Amino acid sequence: MNEIRYEIIITFLENADKLKKTVQSCENQILENDRIIIVGTGNLEQIKSLKEIKKYKKQITFKQTATVADAYNECVRESESQYTIFMKEGDWLGEGFLKHAASVMEDEKEQQIEEPEAESESQIESEDEHEEEHETKGVVLQNEIMNPGEVSVLLPVQYCDNLLVSEKPKKHILSKKVIKGTYGVDITKNYWALQTALPGAVIRTACLKTYTFNTEIMFEYDTDVLLRILNNEKKYLVTDRAEYYYFDPKENQVLYHIPAHYSQWYEESAEKYLLPLLRDSEDSLFIQNYAVYYVLNRFLCNLDNRNKKQLLGKKFDKYLEVVKEIFGFVDDYYLTNQDLHKYLSKNPQILCMFLRIKYGIDNVKYEYRQEIDPETEEKDLVMYFNGNRISSVNSHYFSIGMMNYVDGKVWLDGSLISIFAQGGIDFYAEFNGKMIKVEDTDSYSLTKYFGVPAYRRITYHLELPLNPNKKNQAVRFYAKDKNDKYQLRITFSDHWAKLSKIPRYSYWHFNKYLCHHAENSIVFKKANIVNVLKREIQFQLNLLKINSKYSRHALALRWLYWITRPYFKKKKIWLMLDKLYKGGDSCEYLYRYSAKLEDGVTRYYVIDKKTPDYKKLKKDGYKPLATNSLMHQLAFLNADLVLITNSHLFPFNGFRKEKSKYFRGLCNFSSMCLQHGLSVQKCAMAQRRIIDNTTGYFLASKYEYENLSKHAYGYQNFDVLKLTGIGRYDGLISNDQKQILLSPTWRMYNALPVTTSEGDQRGYNPEFKNSTYYQVYNNLINHKRLIDCAKKTGYKIKFLLHPILSSQADDFTPNEEVEVIPSVGDLSYEKILTESSLMVTDYSGVQFDFAYMRKPIVYFHPEELPPHYEDGIFFYDTMGFGEICTKTEQLVDLLCEYMQNNCVMKEKYVKRADDFFVYKDYNNCKRIYKEIMKSQKQIDIDKMRK
């Protein structure tokens, strides 16, 4: 073993603590003749004095170069070691890594060859939330008995050790098998067995010396070398006895992958890395398959709200041309994932999108064949492109997103896949012997990539009148062409669907009916004590078979629900909440207004017990409900109405999909939106009717009404939109204290994604300081001329961070004259808004609060930053309440002018505000309350209350 020499090359970027962990993992493993090189593009002097580094000063050297790729090239060129391992700061080696790797590469007795075990579904995350259900073909990993001495690359089992991604290290798998023991892989027989991570790989240095790291690309210089080695060598070894833990999320961990925030990961990477690789490997199925994986991850990193805004306008058009060129190297068999690999998409809508990119929209025509499903022996309509199977009718589901009972009818809302439109397929519901055609309501159902619509689903709304005289009634769903009909299976896709297929025996008890799923039908029957009790017992017995923390919790909570049901049953419960970590929004105002009214309604205002707002409510004599408390959960399950200022109601209350499926059938409530901002932009993705089963939406402006009345939102023909004013406006009475308020909105791509509850404050994003957003506003709040003018005229400047960016407060450069304020904790929106004299914002909804007081607003739309919202019905140049500035100097000039003239709103903008708002009084909560009470009357009828 003493003859084995490792050279471990560790990349240092900026975090000394992460580097220490990496070095410490090598501490008890390196031998006397092993060598560690710490490379970086910055100043390495700061880390040379670390104890962990000094301890091995004879074995650790440092290399500072222009790029990391340059450092890698120098290290490899100068290396005399037998093996090279690359690591990044924050990564660490599992126990005995170097010993086990050496024994495998040298073919010592410790090595074993074992057959792999089948991988469980829970071990791989689906990459696409829009993915349909499919069976996966079994592609067997063919183990090759190899002489390890002839293999240049050994790959360990890799785990992601980053708490943002998972609470515990998570296995990273691209192949379809979990490796047990040591395994030889020949990529000519296993083209799909991708490996993309050079860090952690053990590579024979003699082999590595024949390759050069590409210094012209910012990111994949290491993957480039690994793929070229594997493609040329045709084989590699994998072992589960060497474990490698990495910190930076990989490219398919699309919520967290850091390079996705940089334009170089798209254009530069494709043109200088992937296309040259494809040109050099035209016949390689391994590289073709990788190319599909490469493109897919970039699209998924920019799916809907994940759009990083790196490719806009003509830049995106140009990028699509590059993707088209990439797909030109890929056979359609691999582009359409005919082997159904898990790390590629099985979503037929994505496959069709890729084909349209490759061939052009007009050149993609599908063939439809009627076939017999070999498993069910039922007729099936199968969709092909150039002989490659894209999808079939029987593989899709009639998706139920929402079920309600309203005045004797069951309402069904949901969506259907639209890719069969060219095949002349229509959809029908069969109810009580009548065939009802499913019409497209044209509501928003787009899927966007890079902010550009890619495909949409058919949306529908059905109303089924229940016959009170029939014992059993059922609805089934069909796809139908000119000659045949195909019965569709049913899926319950959302919290509001009332039912779920897992666990079994799910049911919905409402009015005098019991509803459940059976034999691809939704069945409605008369409810009585016996059949409800029987169904509940079956459901709970099934829960006992499911071994998960959610099922155990569900069993206990359902018992408590039934024990306490007599207490809650006759109560009219309104559950009210703003941000759980922050009050002071419209729901709190309505709660304070209505809490002491004697109207038979029980109100609960939910907020985190640790917040100052909770304590203030208690001090003022109210009884707020602590979030996540047992009473909160029980009140949620028994509510008549949930009143909320933000979308995605179930997650806000701690019922994410993995939990809500155990309780959906107990929930007989709808929601009403009291609004956090105003709905004047295109916001159908979050604010359409079916997102939160919205039955009341309270508005401040006729322009909101006009915007939300469009088909995309799904409010047409429903009495939902109410012009009442906004609840929190009741507190907007000016108390000018000579202060300038900077209040920009956030950008989705600058904040960490939700990792716990929607209502929790977002975590700290270490990449935020590298964003253009940060640079623009940090420069503004430290602008000398602005600060000097504020001093001279006696104004204070306050920079109010959006709640979602409040974790980044300490990133901004301290300045005695500017106060950076996180909008969480004990901050009072009412106080800071009423005391401010002028507001600077970009698109934030608080502009309307300010305009309601007829105070001046200045819009700052920096050229460097893309808009946060798409224009809807509100246009800043003709409807905005102040001037628009696109440059910092222009903004500073205007702010100085306002401060020198006592910050008075100009008459032009006063008139705009008068036109915009329906009311300018302080009776908004009163009007909202009256509208809610009207809805409560119908709820009482539907719940059979006297």
Side-chain angles (χ1 to χ4, degrees), residues 283-313:
D283 298 326
S284 171
L285 305 185
F286 180 74
I287 299 299
Q288 286 186 43
N289 201 56
Y290 167 74
V292 182
Y293 170 79
Y294 168 99
V295 172
L296 175 67
N297 287 328
R298 280 157 175 77
F299 274 71
L300 294 179
C301 280
N302 291 275
L303 168 69
D304 291 337
N305 282 340
R306 299 176 198 159
N307 183 19
K308 308 301 188 296
K309 304 288 181 81
Q310 294 300 313
L311 300 174
L312 298 172

Short mmCIF file of all heavy atoms in Angstrom, two decimals, residues 283-313:
data_model
loop_
_atom_site.label_atom_id
_atom_site.label_comp_id
_atom_site.label_asym_id
_atom_site.label_seq_id
_atom_site.Cartn_x
_atom_site.Cartn_y
_atom_site.Cartn_z
N ASP A 283 -20.76 9.30 -32.94
CA ASP A 283 -21.37 7.96 -32.94
C ASP A 283 -21.60 7.43 -31.53
O ASP A 283 -22.04 6.29 -31.36
CB ASP A 283 -20.49 6.98 -33.72
CG ASP A 283 -20.34 7.38 -35.18
OD1 ASP A 283 -21.32 7.93 -35.72
OD2 ASP A 283 -19.27 7.14 -35.77
N SER A 284 -21.31 8.22 -30.52
CA SER A 284 -21.40 7.72 -29.15
C SER A 284 -22.82 7.85 -28.62
O SER A 284 -23.34 8.96 -28.42
CB SER A 284 -20.44 8.51 -28.24
OG SER A 284 -20.67 8.19 -26.88
N LEU A 285 -23.46 6.74 -28.33
CA LEU A 285 -24.79 6.76 -27.73
C LEU A 285 -24.71 7.31 -26.31
O LEU A 285 -25.65 7.95 -25.82
CB LEU A 285 -25.39 5.35 -27.71
CG LEU A 285 -25.47 4.62 -29.06
CD1 LEU A 285 -26.19 3.31 -28.90
CD2 LEU A 285 -26.13 5.50 -30.10
N PHE A 286 -23.62 7.05 -25.64
CA PHE A 286 -23.39 7.54 -24.28
C PHE A 286 -23.45 9.07 -24.25
O PHE A 286 -24.12 9.67 -23.41
CB PHE A 286 -22.02 7.03 -23.82
CG PHE A 286 -21.62 7.45 -22.43
CD1 PHE A 286 -22.21 6.87 -21.32
CD2 PHE A 286 -20.62 8.39 -22.24
CE1 PHE A 286 -21.83 7.24 -20.03
CE2 PHE A 286 -20.22 8.76 -20.96
CZ PHE A 286 -20.84 8.18 -19.86
N ILE A 287 -22.77 9.72 -25.20
CA ILE A 287 -22.74 11.19 -25.24
C ILE A 287 -24.07 11.74 -25.75
O ILE A 287 -24.54 12.79 -25.27
CB ILE A 287 -21.56 11.69 -26.11
CG1 ILE A 287 -20.22 11.21 -25.51
CG2 ILE A 287 -21.58 13.20 -26.21
CD1 ILE A 287 -19.94 11.70 -24.11
N GLN A 288 -24.71 11.05 -26.68
CA GLN A 288 -26.05 11.49 -27.14
C GLN A 288 -27.03 11.51 -25.97
O GLN A 288 -27.81 12.45 -25.81
CB GLN A 288 -26.57 10.56 -28.23
CG GLN A 288 -25.90 10.72 -29.58
CD GLN A 288 -26.57 9.88 -30.65
OE1 GLN A 288 -27.80 9.81 -30.72
NE2 GLN A 288 -25.76 9.24 -31.48
N ASN A 289 -27.01 10.46 -25.18
CA ASN A 289 -27.91 10.38 -24.04
C ASN A 289 -27.60 11.48 -23.03
O ASN A 289 -28.50 12.09 -22.46
CB ASN A 289 -27.77 9.00 -23.38
CG ASN A 289 -28.96 8.64 -22.55
OD1 ASN A 289 -30.09 8.62 -23.04
ND2 ASN A 289 -28.73 8.32 -21.30
N TYR A 290 -26.31 11.74 -22.83
CA TYR A 290 -25.91 12.82 -21.93
C TYR A 290 -26.43 14.16 -22.45
O TYR A 290 -26.86 15.02 -21.65
CB TYR A 290 -24.39 12.87 -21.79
CG TYR A 290 -23.91 14.14 -21.12
CD1 TYR A 290 -24.09 14.33 -19.75
CD2 TYR A 290 -23.35 15.17 -21.87
CE1 TYR A 290 -23.70 15.51 -19.14
CE2 TYR A 290 -22.96 16.35 -21.26
CZ TYR A 290 -23.14 16.52 -19.89
OH TYR A 290 -22.76 17.70 -19.29
N ALA A 291 -26.39 14.38 -23.76
CA ALA A 291 -26.83 15.66 -24.32
C ALA A 291 -28.29 15.93 -23.99
O ALA A 291 -28.66 17.08 -23.70
CB ALA A 291 -26.61 15.66 -25.84
N VAL A 292 -29.13 14.90 -24.02
CA VAL A 292 -30.54 15.09 -23.66
C VAL A 292 -30.66 15.45 -22.18
O VAL A 292 -31.42 16.35 -21.80
CB VAL A 292 -31.36 13.82 -23.97
CG1 VAL A 292 -32.84 14.04 -23.65
CG2 VAL A 292 -31.20 13.42 -25.44
N TYR A 293 -29.90 14.75 -21.34
CA TYR A 293 -29.86 15.04 -19.90
C TYR A 293 -29.40 16.46 -19.64
O TYR A 293 -29.97 17.19 -18.83
CB TYR A 293 -28.92 14.02 -19.25
CG TYR A 293 -28.56 14.28 -17.81
CD1 TYR A 293 -29.44 13.95 -16.78
CD2 TYR A 293 -27.32 14.81 -17.48
CE1 TYR A 293 -29.09 14.16 -15.46
CE2 TYR A 293 -26.97 15.02 -16.15
CZ TYR A 293 -27.86 14.69 -15.14
OH TYR A 293 -27.51 14.91 -13.83
N TYR A 294 -28.38 16.88 -20.37
CA TYR A 294 -27.80 18.23 -20.24
C TYR A 294 -28.85 19.29 -20.54
O TYR A 294 -29.05 20.23 -19.76
CB TYR A 294 -26.62 18.32 -21.21
CG TYR A 294 -26.05 19.70 -21.45
CD1 TYR A 294 -24.91 20.11 -20.79
CD2 TYR A 294 -26.63 20.56 -22.39
CE1 TYR A 294 -24.36 21.37 -21.03
CE2 TYR A 294 -26.09 21.82 -22.64
CZ TYR A 294 -24.95 22.21 -21.96
OH TYR A 294 -24.41 23.46 -22.20
N VAL A 295 -29.55 19.17 -21.66
CA VAL A 295 -30.55 20.17 -22.04
C VAL A 295 -31.74 20.14 -21.08
O VAL A 295 -32.24 21.18 -20.65
CB VAL A 295 -31.02 19.94 -23.49
CG1 VAL A 295 -32.20 20.86 -23.82
CG2 VAL A 295 -29.87 20.17 -24.47
N LEU A 296 -32.20 18.95 -20.74
CA LEU A 296 -33.36 18.82 -19.85
C LEU A 296 -33.14 19.56 -18.54
O LEU A 296 -34.03 20.28 -18.06
CB LEU A 296 -33.64 17.34 -19.58
CG LEU A 296 -34.76 17.07 -18.57
CD1 LEU A 296 -36.11 17.51 -19.13
CD2 LEU A 296 -34.80 15.58 -18.19
N ASN A 297 -31.97 19.41 -17.94
CA ASN A 297 -31.72 20.06 -16.65
C ASN A 297 -31.75 21.58 -16.75
O ASN A 297 -32.20 22.26 -15.83
CB ASN A 297 -30.38 19.60 -16.09
CG ASN A 297 -30.44 18.17 -15.59
OD1 ASN A 297 -31.47 17.72 -15.11
ND2 ASN A 297 -29.35 17.44 -15.73
N ARG A 298 -31.32 22.11 -17.87
CA ARG A 298 -31.37 23.56 -18.03
C ARG A 298 -32.82 24.04 -18.17
O ARG A 298 -33.16 25.10 -17.67
CB ARG A 298 -30.52 23.96 -19.24
CG ARG A 298 -29.04 24.01 -18.87
CD ARG A 298 -28.10 23.85 -20.04
NE ARG A 298 -26.73 24.03 -19.59
CZ ARG A 298 -26.01 23.12 -18.93
NH1 ARG A 298 -26.55 21.95 -18.64
NH2 ARG A 298 -24.77 23.36 -18.55
N PHE A 299 -33.63 23.27 -18.84
CA PHE A 299 -35.04 23.63 -18.94
C PHE A 299 -35.71 23.51 -17.57
O PHE A 299 -36.48 24.39 -17.16
CB PHE A 299 -35.74 22.75 -19.97
CG PHE A 299 -35.62 23.27 -21.38
CD1 PHE A 299 -34.41 23.23 -22.06
CD2 PHE A 299 -36.71 23.83 -22.01
CE1 PHE A 299 -34.29 23.72 -23.35
CE2 PHE A 299 -36.61 24.33 -23.30
CZ PHE A 299 -35.39 24.27 -23.97
N LEU A 300 -35.43 22.44 -16.84
CA LEU A 300 -36.08 22.24 -15.54
C LEU A 300 -35.62 23.28 -14.52
O LEU A 300 -36.39 23.65 -13.63
CB LEU A 300 -35.81 20.84 -15.03
CG LEU A 300 -36.43 19.70 -15.84
CD1 LEU A 300 -36.08 18.35 -15.25
CD2 LEU A 300 -37.95 19.85 -15.93
N CYS A 301 -34.40 23.75 -14.63
CA CYS A 301 -33.93 24.80 -13.73
C CYS A 301 -34.65 26.12 -13.99
O CYS A 301 -34.60 27.02 -13.16
CB CYS A 301 -32.42 25.01 -13.91
SG CYS A 301 -31.40 23.81 -13.04
N ASN A 302 -35.33 26.22 -15.13
CA ASN A 302 -36.04 27.45 -15.49
C ASN A 302 -37.51 27.18 -15.78
O ASN A 302 -38.13 27.85 -16.60
CB ASN A 302 -35.36 28.08 -16.71
CG ASN A 302 -34.00 28.65 -16.38
OD1 ASN A 302 -33.87 29.77 -15.92
ND2 ASN A 302 -32.97 27.83 -16.57
N LEU A 303 -38.05 26.20 -15.08
CA LEU A 303 -39.47 25.84 -15.21
C LEU A 303 -40.34 26.80 -14.42
O LEU A 303 -40.14 27.00 -13.22
CB LEU A 303 -39.66 24.40 -14.71
CG LEU A 303 -41.08 23.91 -14.51
CD1 LEU A 303 -41.80 23.76 -15.84
CD2 LEU A 303 -41.08 22.57 -13.77
N ASP A 304 -41.32 27.41 -15.07
CA ASP A 304 -42.29 28.28 -14.42
C ASP A 304 -41.59 29.28 -13.50
O ASP A 304 -40.78 30.07 -13.94
CB ASP A 304 -43.33 27.44 -13.68
CG ASP A 304 -44.25 26.68 -14.64
OD1 ASP A 304 -44.38 27.12 -15.80
OD2 ASP A 304 -44.81 25.64 -14.25
N ASN A 305 -41.88 29.23 -12.19
CA ASN A 305 -41.32 30.23 -11.27
C ASN A 305 -39.83 30.08 -11.02
O ASN A 305 -39.23 30.92 -10.35
CB ASN A 305 -42.04 30.14 -9.92
CG ASN A 305 -43.39 30.82 -9.97
OD1 ASN A 305 -43.64 31.64 -10.84
ND2 ASN A 305 -44.27 30.47 -9.05
N ARG A 306 -39.23 29.03 -11.54
CA ARG A 306 -37.78 28.87 -11.36
C ARG A 306 -36.98 29.70 -12.37
O ARG A 306 -35.75 29.69 -12.33
CB ARG A 306 -37.37 27.40 -11.55
CG ARG A 306 -38.00 26.43 -10.57
CD ARG A 306 -37.57 25.02 -10.94
NE ARG A 306 -38.42 24.01 -10.33
CZ ARG A 306 -38.55 22.77 -10.77
NH1 ARG A 306 -37.86 22.39 -11.84
NH2 ARG A 306 -39.34 21.92 -10.18
N ASN A 307 -37.63 30.37 -13.28
CA ASN A 307 -36.93 31.12 -14.32
C ASN A 307 -35.89 32.05 -13.73
O ASN A 307 -36.21 32.93 -12.94
CB ASN A 307 -37.94 31.91 -15.15
CG ASN A 307 -37.30 32.64 -16.31
OD1 ASN A 307 -36.19 32.32 -16.72
ND2 ASN A 307 -38.00 33.62 -16.85
N LYS A 308 -34.65 31.86 -14.12
CA LYS A 308 -33.54 32.65 -13.58
C LYS A 308 -33.33 33.95 -14.33
O LYS A 308 -32.43 34.71 -14.01
CB LYS A 308 -32.24 31.83 -13.60
CG LYS A 308 -32.34 30.45 -12.96
CD LYS A 308 -32.74 30.52 -11.51
CE LYS A 308 -32.65 29.17 -10.81
NZ LYS A 308 -33.58 28.15 -11.33
N LYS A 309 -34.10 34.19 -15.38
CA LYS A 309 -34.05 35.43 -16.18
C LYS A 309 -32.66 35.66 -16.80
O LYS A 309 -32.23 36.79 -16.97
CB LYS A 309 -34.43 36.65 -15.31
CG LYS A 309 -35.81 36.54 -14.63
CD LYS A 309 -36.95 36.70 -15.62
CE LYS A 309 -38.30 36.62 -14.94
NZ LYS A 309 -38.73 37.85 -14.31
N GLN A 310 -31.98 34.57 -17.13
CA GLN A 310 -30.66 34.70 -17.76
C GLN A 310 -30.76 34.77 -19.29
O GLN A 310 -29.84 35.23 -19.94
CB GLN A 310 -29.77 33.52 -17.35
CG GLN A 310 -29.40 33.49 -15.89
CD GLN A 310 -28.64 34.73 -15.48
OE1 GLN A 310 -27.70 35.16 -16.14
NE2 GLN A 310 -29.05 35.33 -14.36
N LEU A 311 -31.86 34.27 -19.82
CA LEU A 311 -32.04 34.26 -21.28
C LEU A 311 -33.35 34.96 -21.61
O LEU A 311 -34.42 34.37 -21.45
CB LEU A 311 -32.06 32.82 -21.80
CG LEU A 311 -30.81 31.97 -21.55
CD1 LEU A 311 -31.04 30.54 -22.00
CD2 LEU A 311 -29.60 32.56 -22.26
N LEU A 312 -33.26 36.17 -22.05
CA LEU A 312 -34.46 36.96 -22.33
C LEU A 312 -34.45 37.41 -23.78
O LEU A 312 -33.41 37.72 -24.36
CB LEU A 312 -34.53 38.18 -21.40
CG LEU A 312 -34.62 37.89 -19.90
CD1 LEU A 312 -34.47 39.18 -19.11
CD2 LEU A 312 -35.93 37.21 -19.55
N GLY A 313 -35.65 37.45 -24.37
CA GLY A 313 -35.80 37.99 -25.71
C GLY A 313 -34.96 37.29 -26.75
O GLY A 313 -35.00 36.07 -26.91
#
